[in-house]
Amino acid sequence: MDLKKTNAPVNTITYNKSVIEEPTGNVYEAITIIAKRANQINAEIKKELIDKLDEFATYNDSLEEVFENKEQIEVSKFYEKLPKSHALAVQEWLDGKIYHRNTEQ
């Protein structure tokens, strides 16, 4: 997933309910699918962030010294400015990038 090329909004916006429920015909089913995808996106972002921050980690047993790492701060700021996982999931849903199927049918 390329987080730099996403066009998901950073701020909260209102969506048209009929557009959200259109692929499934049920708004609750659509929201459930979007929520599951948002959890997946959140897990991917969290893993990626932890991997990047581990590159800058200094393992020091002394609690007396605290070091500020500029690269670590920049990485953290980048991830703070990203759209939230639910906004990314809704944008994927609206773009038709989420595959879903009803197992009962």
Side-chain angles (χ1 to χ4, degrees), residues 14 16 18 29-30 35 43 53-54 63 66-67 76 86:
T14 305
N16 187 349
S18 61
E29 186 177 344
L53 290 178
D54 280 344
L63 296 175
V66 176
F67 297 102
S76 296
H86 62 274

Side-chain angles (χ1 to χ4, degrees), residues 39-91:
N39 286 338
Q40 292 172 348
I41 292 171
N42 193 35
E44 290 173 14
I45 292 173
K46 185 176 179 180
K47 181 183 180 305
E48 186 177 314
L49 175 61
I50 289 172
D51 290 344
K52 286 187 179 183
L53 290 178
D54 280 344
E55 294 174 8
F56 305 114
T58 56
Y59 301 102
N60 192 359
D61 292 337
S62 173
L63 296 175
E64 298 166 358
E65 297 180 38
V66 176
F67 297 102
E68 284 189 14
N69 191 335
K70 300 279 186 202
E71 293 86 10
Q72 188 175 11
I73 292 171
E74 291 300 318
V75 168
S76 296
K77 284 183 180 181
F78 170 76
Y79 280 94
E80 287 176 3
K81 292 178 184 177
L82 287 177
K84 303 296 180 204
S85 59
H86 62 274
L88 293 167
V90 169
Q91 190 62 44

